[in-house]
Amino acid sequence: MAAVTCKDLCKTFSQGGERVIGLERVTLEVEEGEFLCLSGPSGSGKTTLLNTIGGLDTPDSGSITVAGQCIDRFSREQLANLRLHNIGFVFQAYNLIPVLSARENVEFVMQLQGRGLATRRALAMTILEEVGLAGLEDRRPAQLSGGQQQRVAVARAIASDPVLVLADEPTANLDSRNSSQLMELFAELNRRRSATFVIATHDKRVMDFCHRRISLQDGRIVNAESRAAGSA
Amino acid sequence: MSLLLLTKLAWRNLWRNYRRTLIMLAAIILGVWAMIMMNALMRGMVDGMLDSGLKYLPGHAQLHHPAYRDDPGVAHSLEALSAPLQEALADRDILGWSARVKVPAMISSERDSRGVVLLGVDPMQELSIGFAETDLVQGRFLESATDPSVVVGEAMLKRLETRLGRRIVLSSQTVGNEVGERGFPIVGVYRASLPSLEETLVYAGREVVQGMLGMGGAVSEVAILGPDYRRLEPWFGRVAAAVDEGMVLEGWRELDEYLALSLSIQGGAGIVLIVVIFLALSFGLVNTMAMAVFERVREMGLLLALGMPPHAMLYQVLLEALFLLLLGLLAGNLLGWLSLQPLLSGIDLSALAEAAELSGMGATLYPNLRGVDMLRATLIVIFLGLAASLIPAWRAARLDPVTSMNEY
Ligand SMILES: Nc1ncnc2c1ncn2[C@@H]1O[C@H](COP(=O)(O)OP(=O)(O)O)[C@@H](O)[C@H]1O
Ligand SMILES: [Mg+2]
């Protein structure tokens, strides 16, 4: 079954009275367990596509199905609910809630979902260990390095077993060593947990980790290429 | 929705900008403290007014001839009280009552003469409703309704330039439209909470006055005292049902409209004051909460993006405001209560006595701090405070996650 199906997505923005194309007739299907990257130069529509799939933004036309639900007519609250239960997000920066510790950040989504204290605490500790942050769980984001912060964000995105993890330029603020560590983590989680990843990036090294790559330009899919799984 | 999570977020966020929070907190504490002080002082003032004003003479209700209040002379008197009425006055909820002659009169010493209100009283009855032996500063009170002496106020004694044991002459109009007059020895001097009372009221034996004015057994009024001036029922209704023909029963609010009016004005002023103080506070509060939201737009966008429902965002901001309000209320109430403790034994206003007398209270102000007033201030502050925070909270809930996260 497809984790995500997009059909003929169009989105335009108006900026200073001018119409700017965000997405133009984007049709895309992401299978469950895929490790996909969206590439393309800055302004090509990667973020717009991720946000539309994630229910953070709505297209002008076209149709989106996520986890078997057509979200075209969802209300604000319904979209919030979809994001909460089905999608994990990793953003470029400022991913963490400053007043919560690393563990509390990971627990945050599970707590919103209404999971019990014992379950979510155990899950959070396991996943923090899995992303290599054992011992740092009580630190606040300000006490963590950029790379560590992104790992916490990944842990939070994956902790509640979402159908889909969307990451928007997750390595943009990291040095190359931290970048490749983070990508290795993504690849490992994809393998071990068979989670579906869609990662937007214009970083060549990141693309090398992905199994399928979709290139965007001016809001359009310009080419798509697949590679055998695990050939990175 | 996890209330615990919202509480945690609200509480921690409150202390992020602790300087701003403390400033706002100080403002709330000060405002609440002021509300409590003002309320206690105003209530003390009203109680003082009513106690000295009501207990002294009018009691809580009075029986009169219907025309007496317009023309308080011997012509408008009450004949002897009927048996059912006397029975009604013996009600267990009535602390006491007094049937008196009360007429305008002239008092003269060798030195001076002045207009007064002559009270012909039965001392036993009078002591049961207002006059206290402790009010006497010299001599004694009347011994019976047939006691042929007078008790005057200390201020009056000075005016007349006379003293205890000397004689004065009282004169007033008789039933037959003549001038009745009689000499009385001064056997007692009293002090009232208000100097103006001391210069007005002269007590004499009721039967002596009745004889002097040819009234037979008639009296001008019956004053009745209940346990609480705020609540005349149930005794008032029972007396009203037993009232004789040609008599009217009126509560103190009708008898002293000025007093009743100032009571309700002061009660209303209490609420107005709370609201005014709070309105000033709420500008600060709205601003504080708006700043708290404004500073965290990006973070709130993140919370929404992660799937926090918009209504939960609204609650989070309201909770933050609620914490601020509760802390301020707690400290403000405590501070108000503490700072009133040393004042409860009375604030000496003798320096301001002239002004105080104008408003009808005694020379000592006893602040009256009541739980109801604290509760009322607390509820008003919470209610208005949350209402004021609704605007920033609403804005936080309406934030668009994507544009908010792109804010700088
Ligand atoms: N909120 C917005 N308002 C106006 N224009 C926007 C907005 N978001 C995106 N765009 C425009 O849409 C196009 C695609 O942007 P985006 O999806 O952010 O590209 P990418 O993530 O690939 O850099 C760009 O031309 C951008 O300027
Ligand atoms: Mg982008």
Side-chain angles (χ1 to χ4, degrees):
Chain A
M1 198 183 92
V4 183
T5 312
C6 303
K7 248 191 109 175
D8 284 335
L9 292 186
C10 294
K11 173 89 181 175
T12 54
F13 299 98
S14 66
Q15 200 169 35
E18 252 184 77
R19 282 160 59 80
V20 182
I21 291 175
L23 295 175
E24 198 173 320
R25 297 182 63 91
V26 171
T27 296
L28 173 70
E29 197 157 296
V30 184
E31 293 300 323
E32 260 179 37
E34 257 199 277
F35 195 31
L36 174 80
C37 87
L38 299 175
S39 66
S42 187
S44 58
K46 304 182 293 294
T47 297
T48 307
L49 181 55
L50 274 190
N51 288 346
T52 326
I53 293 172
L56 284 171
D57 208 345
T58 46
D60 298 336
S61 65
S63 176
I64 306 171
T65 305
V66 178
Q69 310 173 66
C70 175
I71 65 169
D72 298 347
R73 295 187 198 291
F74 272 23
S75 67
R76 263 169 72 82
E77 296 266 349
Q78 280 176 310
L79 286 172
N81 200 49
L82 171 90
R83 296 195 295 272
L84 178 60
H85 291 279
N86 298 297
I87 301 171
F89 287 97
V90 180
F91 301 102
Q92 178 177 337
Y94 310 109
N95 254 310
L96 301 181
I97 302 154
V99 292
L100 299 182
S101 70
R103 178 177 49 71
E104 288 168 329
N105 262 283
V106 177
E107 281 185 46
F108 175 79
V109 171
M110 291 189 278
Q111 197 166 356
L112 281 181
Q113 288 174 340
R115 295 225 203 164
L117 177 70
T119 322
R120 67 168 193 262
R121 187 140 304 174
L123 274 170
M125 293 307 284
T126 312
I127 192 91
L128 278 170
E129 210 177 298
E130 207 172 330
V131 301
L133 292 175
L136 301 181
E137 60 272 5
D138 289 327
R139 293 211 185 164
R140 293 272 177 102
Q143 300 165 307
L144 296 169
S145 74
Q148 289 168 334
Q149 288 184 32
Q150 286 305 68
R151 284 160 177 273
V152 175
V154 173
R156 183 185 58 207
I158 197 95
S160 56
D161 274 325
V163 175
L164 185 65
V165 176
L166 302 176
D168 193 359
E169 316 236 13
T171 60
N173 289 1
L174 300 181
D175 60 25
S176 61
R177 195 172 59 89
N178 274 309
S179 291
S180 49
Q181 279 179 357
L182 191 72
M183 288 316 294
E184 271 159 25
L185 179 63
F186 274 124
E188 198 184 315
L189 290 170
N190 169 250
R191 244 190 340 266
R192 267 225 306 275
R193 297 188 167 235
S194 50
T196 312
F197 284 81
V198 179
I199 300 174
T201 187
H202 55 245
D203 184 340
K204 276 273 181 299
R205 288 164 306 180
V206 170
M207 294 170 206
D208 291 341
F209 280 90
C210 298
H211 306 158
R212 180 152 73 112
R213 176 175 144 194
I214 289 173
S215 299
L216 290 171
Q217 193 144 29
D218 300 328
R220 246 183 301 219
I221 294 182
V222 288
N223 85 7
E225 63 181 55
S226 276
R227 296 190 291 156
S231 67
Chain B
M1 188 59 248
S2 171
L3 190 63
L4 208 70
L5 176 64
L6 292 185
T7 307
K8 181 160 74 183
L9 286 172
W11 180 257
R12 290 190 188 169
N13 278 319
L14 187 60
W15 297 107
R16 257 164 102 179
N17 194 331
Y18 69 94
R19 192 189 304 245
R20 187 178 60 210
T21 299
L22 287 180
I23 290 173
M24 192 59 222
L25 207 52
I28 296 177
I29 292 172
L30 200 70
V32 172
W33 174 81
M35 288 178 202
I36 293 200
M37 293 298 281
M38 293 307 288
N39 250 305
L41 293 178
M42 267 171 36
R43 196 175 274 281
M45 245 163 77
V46 171
D47 283 357
M49 262 171 71
L50 287 166
D51 274 351
S52 52
L54 291 182
K55 204 178 135 212
Y56 233 84
L57 248 213
H60 294 165
Q62 289 180 355
L63 287 164
H64 288 127
H65 182 283
Y68 175 82
R69 290 225 285 135
D70 288 332
D71 180 9
V74 280
H76 300 134
S77 311
L78 304 174
E79 294 309 322
L81 309 181
S82 71
L85 180 56
Q86 298 221 21
E87 210 170 291
L89 288 173
D91 196 296
R92 69 189 140 74
D93 286 325
I94 290 177
L95 297 184
W97 57 275
S98 180
R100 346 167 148 115
V101 175
K102 183 178 167 192
V103 288
M106 188 65 87
I107 190 167
S108 318
S109 67
E110 305 92 322
R111 297 293 193 134
D112 205 351
S113 57
R114 314 185 64 85
V116 292
V117 172
L118 171 59
L119 294 165
V121 301
D122 175 336
M124 288 305 121
Q125 289 181 349
E126 204 59 31
L127 286 168
S128 75
I129 77 160
F131 199 92
E133 299 275 11
T134 51
D135 294 340
L136 287 167
V137 288
Q138 293 178 49
R140 59 168 175 84
F141 196 46
L142 302 169
E143 276 167 349
S144 71
T146 54
D147 192 331
S149 345
V150 290
V151 172
V152 299
E154 196 176 33
M156 173 63 79
L157 204 68
K158 287 210 184 82
R159 295 272 183 202
L160 294 177
E161 296 179 51
T162 182
R163 56 190 156 77
L164 191 72
R166 299 291 285 266
R167 289 180 80 84
I168 50 87
V169 174
L170 280 163
S171 60
S172 183
Q173 189 148 354
T174 66
V175 173
N177 263 343
E178 318 255 320
V179 172
E181 123 180 328
R182 191 189 154 114
F184 293 83
I186 300 173
V187 295
V189 179
Y190 69 89
R191 189 177 283 163
S193 59
L194 304 181
S196 62
L197 289 176
E198 287 178 21
E199 287 186 33
T200 311
L201 303 176
V202 174
Y203 293 87
R206 183 171 71 208
E207 288 180 27
V208 180
V209 175
Q210 281 168 338
M212 168 180 135
L213 302 178
M215 297 171 77
V219 293
S220 309
E221 71 183 17
V222 177
I224 309 166
L225 188 73
D228 184 359
Y229 72 81
R230 297 176 195 88
R231 250 171 43 91
L232 300 188
E233 293 303 342
W235 58 266
F236 189 86
R238 295 202 281 259
V239 174
V243 159
D244 300 334
E245 187 114 358
M247 276 187 197
V248 287
L249 174 68
E250 290 166 297
W252 64 268
R253 283 171 210 275
E254 289 105 43
L255 292 171
D256 195 336
E257 281 161 9
Y258 171 72
L259 209 58
L261 185 68
S262 37
L263 178 68
S264 56
I265 287 177
Q266 302 220 21
I271 293 185
V272 169
L273 195 82
I274 292 178
V275 172
V276 165
I277 290 180
F278 189 80
L279 280 182
L281 272 184
S282 64
F283 282 109
L285 189 68
V286 169
N287 188 52
T288 300
M289 296 317 295
M291 278 309 290
V293 171
F294 177 75
E295 280 177 357
R296 300 210 302 272
V297 163
R298 184 154 57 194
E299 198 177 314
M300 289 175 160
L302 172 67
L303 297 183
L304 291 167
L306 291 177
M308 179 186 256
H311 70 260
M313 187 64 79
L314 183 94
Y315 295 155
Q316 194 205 310
V317 176
L318 288 184
L319 266 176
E320 211 171 312
L322 185 66
F323 282 142
L324 196 60
L325 291 168
L326 286 180
L327 281 177
L329 281 164
L330 195 76
N333 274 304
L334 195 70
L335 194 67
W337 185 82
L338 282 177
S339 48
L340 276 170
Q341 292 313 303
L343 303 179
L344 289 181
S345 54
I347 303 168
D348 188 7
L349 291 185
S350 44
L352 306 166
E354 301 265 300
E357 190 186 345
L358 286 179
S359 75
M361 32 168 235
T364 307
L365 170 59
Y366 297 94
N368 184 349
L369 179 63
R370 299 184 65 200
V372 191
D373 290 338
M374 292 168 85
L375 190 70
R376 186 177 61 177
T378 300
L379 290 181
I380 292 181
V381 167
I382 290 183
F383 179 77
L384 291 182
L386 288 184
S389 312
L390 260 175
I391 308 157
W394 178 251
R395 276 185 39 200
R398 294 302 304 165
L399 286 175
D400 174 60
V402 175
T403 35
S404 308
M405 279 196 297
N406 292 333
E407 292 266 327
Y408 285 89

